[in-house]
Amino acid sequence: MSEVQGCGDAQAAAGAAARDRLAAAWPERVRVYEGPVGDAVRRAFGECERLVCFLATGAVVRLVAPLLGDKASDPGIVCVDEAGRFAVSLVGGHGGGANDLAREVGAVLGAEPVVTTATDAVDLPGLDTLGLPVEGDVAGVTRALLDGEPVALAAETAWPLPPLPVGTEGRYTLRVTDRAVEPAGREAVLRPPTLVVGVGASRDVPAEEVLELIGAALRDAGLSPASVAELATVDAKAGEPGLVAAAERLGVPLVAHPADELAAVDVPNPSGAPLAAVGTPSVAEAAALVRGGELLVPKRKSERADGRPAMATCAVARRAARGRLAVVGLGPGARDLLTPRAREELRRASVLVGLDQYVDQIRDLLRPGTRILESGLGAEEERARTAVAEAGKGQAVALIGSGDAGVYAMASPALAEASGDIDVVGVPGVTAALAAGAVLGAPLGHDHVSISLSDLHTPWEVIERRVRAAAEADLVVTFYNPRSRGRDWQLPKALAVLAEHREPTTPVGVVRNASRADESSRLTTLADLDPATVDMMTVVTVGNTATREIAGRMVTPRGYRWQKEPE
């Protein structure tokens, strides 16, 4: 099924050109409908998940109005004007994906996305966009959030949610639970996927028997089927048709684990029968617990009306919520060098941890309700521990650093603290060395190395050994943290080491506050560089023996054969 459909008035050449650009950009996603526009729209409405119509919004409204059913089943529809100036999310903003599609279309065509959904307009995550089943007074709770009315968060089960302006009290409630509770008045209930149902089965078990067993187990335990994340079993049963069909009917994956892995799980009710049959003393309980968690429903067998032996077993476990830690590089400072992925992670995080001056750089990008934990210089380890601890509570956390968070920044101390019970995502950023290199020309065109001259955490003897090795290897060297008020001798010493292997005329690039409003740069030589003009906001790049100044730019040749002088 095509994800996107494009149709347009055959008489509108500009619309057809934009349609063709979209089709070229997304060849696997686009199906173009030709012919009379009314027929094309009707056919596309019934065949596609999302539509892009290169027509006036009024025309599209008249065409699709008789076709609309409800927002849960209607396709998302985006209108693009003939001039390609706007991509308007018309129908199915959330459920149909039209809001996201409008932004995607806008990015391809250079059009302004127009999204009028209330939550999107004020940058509030819609409750129906969180990827979780939601029930109850969704509209009422959403309206309260939009109006700034206090909404209480009742999180019976921890789950990493995006930032929401919720508190501990309010007339409206947002409940997060995997229990089978009916929503109260003025309450919306989110169902996180916390439940793992372990299943064992005999050959040719009917899917109905498996489903009846699972349904009864959940009902008796007061658990919601909407929170079932997966069915789990032993690998010998991965292709059992009854289990496969049961998982499909429940809309969850069937996950199979090796028998020896299940055999290592401590369970309350081991048995000799599965050990003889598939090589593990437990299938249902072990499969439910193999990834950790709390056993809520011990092994139980199916009941058959004909009195014949049970063909299925099941057990239910609640897995611990895995928090999410995104380590985000903000780039060198310029807003347009902040990557789209970094922006997405900042908007997704409910908790932001970072150095106060870096928080100030991106505070306006955060969604309302984001909890900010900021601290000053010198508290790197404290920030790392705080971010990991918050993620360990099941939160969605962003830990920010300048440049790339993995280069002289927060990724290393954070990952040194993190255990395997949280998900960690690295978001790369443009480094200071790259930003400075772009200002200077192409100094990093061949092999290069970055070395920090700060001896606060690394002994100078180690730093000097690395500088000497880089000098002997004829590598271009970029110095981070080159000089501060309390460290004024390290840069001259490092330059002296390089001078033992480089000519005095070796080009040296000096860039301060690369990419920022007060950026400054200059090109000098190894002999002429005055270390007193360098501070902690400066990046110093020293060329190798092949680096040259060409037309005022610092260039390290790559060494391509076609660049060599003819003999």
Side-chain angles (χ1 to χ4, degrees), residues 183-198:
R186 297 177 177 171
E187 180 179 78
V189 178
L190 288 171
R191 306 289 189 187
T194 55
L195 304 179
V196 177
V197 179

Side-chain angles (χ1 to χ4, degrees), residues 74 104 141 203 222 311 315 329 449 484 491 518 532:
D74 291 336
E104 291 182 89
V141 172
R203 179 177 296 181
M311 297 185 71
V449 64
S484 67
L491 178 59
D518 56 347

Side-chain angles (χ1 to χ4, degrees), residues 21 80-81 83-88 102-103 105-114:
R21 286 173 57 197
V80 179
D81 64 290
R85 296 173 302 167
F86 303 104
V88 182
R103 298 183 183 100
V105 170
V108 172
L109 301 181
E112 181 71 23
V114 178

